[in-house]
Amino acid sequence: MLGTLHSCPSKASMVLEATMNPLPPGYAIHDVLRFIAQNLQLDSIKNAHDRASMAGEVLALLAHLIEDIPQGHIPSQQSTFGLFARQLPVAQAKDLYDILERANFTLHKNTRLQFATKLAGEAAYKDAAFAILKEMAEKGDTLNDAASASTVTALLHCKTTNDGWTQQVKSFAVKDVLQLFMEHGHTPNTITLTAILDSLCHQGQAEEAIRLALLFAESGVPLDAKAFTTVFAGAKASLNVEIVAKALTVAKVTPVSFESVLSNILHTVFYFADTETRSKSLKAPWSIPMFRPMLKVYAKKFELKSLQWWLPDSLPLLLGDEGVDTELDDKFRDPLGREWDFMHTILPLADRLFTEDGATEGKLQPNTAADGVMLRAYIRSLSRPQDILSFYKFFRSRLEEQSKYPSLLRQNQGAMIHDTFILVMTEHPELWREALHVFGDMLQDSLRTRSATNPDDASNKTTTAASEVIEPEALATAAATAKAKPVHPAPTAFTLTVLLRGLLYQGENALAAQMMQVMQELDIEPNLVTWNTLVRHHALAQNTRMTVTLLQEMEAVGVKPDMYTYNAFNRLRDQDKALTMMQSIVDENRRSLVAGATQKQKKPNIITNPANAYSLKTLPLSAMPDPDMAQGRGSRAVGALYGLAVRMAQLRLTPFEAEMRLRSPP
């Protein structure tokens, strides 16, 4: 056993189970169990089936030790079971708790809290967590200490899941649970109350959350600025102007700044306008003439200096009546002349707030959140491709200036402004290549930051780059900017999902496939929205095999489908064929398991996996993975991946020109 712990710790549970006859000393069994609990890293296993299999093996071992070994042989420690409660998946943690209960194992309060906290994190197991805490409260255990209050907060914090594949879990009655705990002497703190408000908002009960927040305030319970933000976000998601107006009253009983309230109402106008384009199923490009009316509201309370610094147009001129400058009017006019509901619903409420409430002498300094909303509104209001491209060049030059505004915007907004540029550019057939330039700017700074933090990796990248044919001017530019501070934010999963969606919309399947590989090289995990984007695209194209393949890979990496995945699947006309294919895959996996032929799967690779139809059926020959990759010599291919976006940013090339330069012979 000592040799196993030293040389192959991952096999400790298997060796322990194999050496139980005759029984080893109890202290030795316990020490090995604690070692297993401390080194159980299930999160590092990417494949969901492998992760569940490993958890099942550990649970089977624990069940054998608890149920079959004579009681008292193993000197159990409560903290060891607490470790297993934290490390095991929630389903196995629930099974372990049931095993301990059946064995009449006496659990300490802290151990029960560990199990309750684990179970409270999943909607399907909140009733089980509530049963544990209810039993503790009825026995007289206090729930007002820090650990208990944290568990109660986790229990009362609910987020609904739109699961379209399995039966919907019923909503957890947070108000009834809180009332029961308070009857047993529990006093909720501010964090717990904020969690309750958030749960109600996620369950679509924004009005009840507002009423409860005001009731808490009247009872003397202190509410913080987070409570207002939570309630207001729920009111905004309701898309009901009356509920939004009620939510503003919560600001009066919380220590939230007036500037924050104003920035929140500005974002609500933006949110209503953006949602209206989707609710009406308008066709691209989705330009919305919202900036000019929002600017007139903004200027009633905020100074224009910081916003003017970011924009090339004269704000005083935009605040004037239309007709003075026809060119400026055309820039922000809806080319289709559509009627917009937000102009008559949420915008008047925002105007009243900026006009009537919070009367102060002089103008206020806007926070970065307010300016960020206005910048996004400005971008979304531009309908002509030349105006969008011109503004990005101006915005890019501003980011490179040594001023306080770029750093503040980057800290507060992250990649949100760049994501908006990419979103708008990919809506125009003339600008999707420019969207790749925006991504290239972000990627270039991201790689520079990584090189600074990892010199060894930087030297490898330099060697790789040196083996490629690159223009001397590009090398000079790269060397000159190597030590400069990054001015562009790093791309996120949302950035790449927006770009992926835009490329698929424009029919650029080959580049979309390369974007998926870039996500892997940047260690950015595709999220549920990314998977849904791919599933919907292939379902609309009636590519049944690829749709089924994506659904299987989602399951393999542990991403749970939701309502939008289900709706995307419904786009397939021949759903019977898809279901038959899925059933055949399930049957094949079952036969493989029976035959004992299963092997640990590697992380699914949407691009380079030979069995994946996405790489074989949609990529042209010029976009296929480098032959060196197939031979295991993938460093040059990885460098080429990064080079495609980085060189485009440096040399301002189209994707085709950049790829040709990378592939040109020496």
Side-chain angles (χ1 to χ4, degrees):
M1 178 57 72
L2 288 175
T4 302
L5 298 180
H6 176 73
S7 303
C8 192
S10 61
K11 302 293 184 181
S13 59
M14 185 184 302
V15 174
L16 177 60
E17 188 171 11
T19 57
M20 295 303 293
N21 189 14
L23 279 178
Y27 67 86
I29 297 176
H30 176 266
D31 289 347
V32 175
L33 282 178
R34 189 167 185 84
F35 176 87
I36 294 172
Q38 290 174 336
N39 294 273
L40 189 62
Q41 299 179 353
L42 295 175
D43 291 339
S44 62
I45 303 176
K46 298 300 182 182
N47 187 281
H49 294 293
D50 292 344
R51 189 164 57 248
S53 176
M54 175 67 73
E57 292 176 5
V58 174
L59 179 64
L61 173 63
L62 291 171
H64 173 59
L65 296 177
I66 295 171
E67 297 175 342
D68 300 334
I69 303 301
Q71 290 189 3
H73 180 74
I74 304 175
S76 59
Q77 290 187 5
Q78 299 281 337
S79 59
T80 302
F81 291 116
L83 283 172
F84 278 112
R86 289 201 303 268
Q87 299 283 45
L88 288 172
V90 63
Q92 283 75 20
K94 175 63 168 60
D95 291 340
L96 176 58
Y97 184 82
D98 292 340
I99 292 171
L100 292 169
E101 285 287 288
R102 288 196 301 268
N104 295 322
F105 193 91
T106 303
L107 293 176
H108 188 269
K109 173 187 174 181
N110 291 338
T111 309
R112 290 182 180 274
L113 288 176
Q114 293 282 2
F115 280 99
T117 301
K118 184 72 175 187
L119 299 176
E122 293 284 344
Y125 294 91
K126 282 190 178 291
D127 287 334
F130 171 59
I132 296 174
L133 292 176
K134 180 181 178 182
E135 182 182 358
M136 293 172 59
E138 291 175 346
K139 288 182 178 179
D141 292 334
T142 179
L143 299 179
N144 288 323
D145 57 280
S148 301
S150 176
T151 305
V152 172
T153 300
L155 175 66
L156 297 178
H157 191 204
C158 306
K159 290 189 176 182
T160 56
T161 56
N162 295 320
D163 193 345
W165 299 90
T166 59
Q167 184 176 0
Q168 184 72 21
V169 178
K170 64 178 182 180
S171 298
F172 189 68
V174 292
K175 292 189 298 180
D176 297 338
V177 172
L178 176 64
Q179 182 178 352
L180 186 143
F181 287 155
M182 293 179 67
E183 290 174 355
H184 286 83
H186 175 64
T187 303
N189 56 29
T190 303
I191 299 176
T192 303
L193 295 178
T194 304
I196 296 171
L197 298 176
D198 190 49
S199 300
L200 293 173
C201 291
H202 277 92
Q203 293 174 359
Q205 303 181 49
E207 280 191 285
E208 181 62 21
I210 296 169
R211 188 193 67 81
L212 202 58
L214 296 175
L215 180 62
F216 288 153
E218 291 177 2
S219 302
V221 179
L223 298 178
D224 56 7
K226 176 68 175 177
F228 166 74
T229 304
T230 301
V231 171
F232 196 80
K236 178 171 55 181
S238 71
L239 295 174
N240 188 313
V241 178
E242 294 181 359
I243 297 179
V244 173
K246 292 179 181 178
L248 291 173
T249 60
V250 180
K252 300 177 180 179
V253 297
T254 57
V256 62
S257 66
F258 188 47
E259 292 85 350
S260 180
V261 175
L262 296 179
S263 64
N264 271 281
I265 195 65
L266 283 173
H267 184 267
T268 305
V269 176
F270 180 90
Y271 180 79
F272 271 57
D274 179 63
T275 305
E276 187 174 345
T277 62
R278 287 180 272 116
S279 63
K280 291 183 176 180
S281 300
L282 302 178
K283 295 183 178 181
W286 296 284
S287 60
I288 314 169
M290 65 173 110
F291 177 74
R292 204 159 186 175
M294 286 179 64
L295 178 64
K296 294 180 180 180
V297 174
Y298 174 97
K300 291 183 177 181
K301 276 290 186 288
F302 286 138
E303 292 282 355
L304 298 178
K305 179 181 178 181
S306 59
L307 183 61
Q308 180 66 82
W309 191 86
W310 287 107
L311 301 178
D313 301 309
S314 171
L315 295 185
L317 191 59
L318 283 171
L319 288 171
D321 296 332
E322 295 188 18
V324 178
D325 190 329
T326 56
E327 176 64 24
L328 199 61
D329 295 342
D330 293 339
K331 185 175 183 178
F332 295 99
R333 182 180 292 118
D334 184 0
L336 301 179
R338 295 167 289 192
E339 284 291 329
W340 294 91
D341 295 339
F342 78 92
M343 296 279 195
H344 312 290
T345 55
I346 189 63
L347 190 65
L349 175 63
D351 186 72
R352 288 197 301 270
L353 179 66
F354 272 74
T355 304
E356 301 170 2
D357 293 350
T360 56
E361 295 182 2
K363 296 292 183 69
L364 300 173
Q365 291 296 327
N367 54 25
T368 312
D371 284 349
V373 171
M374 295 302 295
L375 283 175
R376 294 170 63 194
Y378 184 93
I379 299 169
R380 295 296 301 272
S381 298
L382 300 176
S383 60
R384 298 183 302 193
Q386 64 270 24
D387 294 330
I388 299 170
L389 181 58
S390 174
F391 179 54
Y392 179 70
K393 292 179 179 179
F394 180 85
F395 178 77
R396 188 172 184 267
S397 66
R398 284 303 201 189
L399 286 178
E400 295 170 353
E401 293 187 19
Q402 297 297 324
S403 174
K404 65 178 181 180
Y405 296 124
S407 60
L408 289 175
L409 188 73
R410 193 165 55 248
Q411 292 172 8
N412 182 271
Q413 298 292 300
M416 202 170 296
I417 306 299
H418 287 71
D419 294 345
T420 306
F421 272 114
I422 293 174
L423 175 67
V424 172
M425 287 178 175
T426 53
E427 294 171 0
H428 294 268
E430 309 93 332
L431 293 181
W432 67 265
R433 289 182 176 84
E434 296 300 328
L436 288 176
H437 287 165
V438 177
F439 172 71
D441 290 339
M442 301 171 71
L443 183 59
Q444 181 180 4
D445 277 1
S446 176
L447 295 177
R448 185 188 302 135
T449 304
R450 289 190 176 201
S451 300
T453 57
N454 192 347
D456 295 335
D457 185 64
S459 62
N460 292 335
K461 290 287 192 302
T462 303
T463 304
T464 301
S467 65
E468 300 170 1
V469 179
I470 305 174
E471 296 292 335
E473 295 82 1
L475 287 175
T477 303
T481 60
K483 296 183 180 180
K485 292 183 179 180
V487 297
H488 299 277
T492 64
F494 183 77
T495 304
L496 288 159
T497 301
V498 170
L499 183 56
L500 178 71
R501 168 187 167 276
L503 292 174
L504 291 174
Y505 179 78
Q506 296 296 341
E508 298 294 332
N509 294 337
L511 284 173
Q514 289 186 352
M515 286 301 105
M516 292 300 297
Q517 189 169 354
V518 169
M519 289 185 75
Q520 293 179 348
E521 298 300 333
L522 293 175
D523 294 327
I524 298 176
E525 292 290 338
N527 56 23
L528 180 58
V529 180
T530 310
W531 289 104
N532 286 345
T533 300
L534 290 170
V535 171
R536 186 176 187 276
H537 170 73
H538 289 287
L540 285 172
Q542 302 306 314
N543 189 337
T544 305
R545 178 172 296 277
M546 191 57 220
T547 303
V548 172
T549 300
L550 288 169
L551 292 174
Q552 293 292 326
E553 291 184 349
M554 284 180 67
E555 182 185 8
V557 298
V559 178
K560 191 175 182 181
D562 67 350
M563 176 183 65
Y564 298 101
T565 319
Y566 180 75
N567 291 338
F569 180 80
N570 278 340
R571 299 283 185 170
L572 284 174
R573 287 192 290 268
D574 194 353
Q575 295 184 20
D576 291 339
K577 178 182 177 181
L579 294 174
T580 302
M581 292 176 62
M582 295 173 73
Q583 185 61 45
S584 66
I585 294 174
V586 172
D587 294 341
E588 179 63 28
N589 290 339
R590 185 182 294 113
R591 286 192 293 268
S592 299
L593 287 172
V594 173
T598 56
Q599 297 179 355
K600 289 187 176 181
Q601 300 176 2
K602 295 182 179 179
K603 178 180 178 181
N605 188 331
I606 293 179
I607 305 304
T608 59
N609 186 354
N612 197 314
Y614 196 69
S615 60
L616 297 180
K617 292 194 173 183
T618 60
L619 284 177
L621 182 62
S622 62
M624 282 291 184
D626 193 276
D628 289 343
M629 180 73 80
Q631 301 297 327
R633 300 185 298 274
S635 60
R636 289 189 63 193
V638 172
L641 264 177
Y642 287 116
L644 182 63
V646 175
R647 305 299 181 264
M648 284 170 55
Q650 293 173 342
L651 304 178
R652 317 305 293 174
L653 302 176
T654 66
F656 177 79
E657 293 170 341
E659 187 175 3
M660 290 301 100
R661 291 209 182 195
L662 287 174
R663 292 181 176 273
S664 59

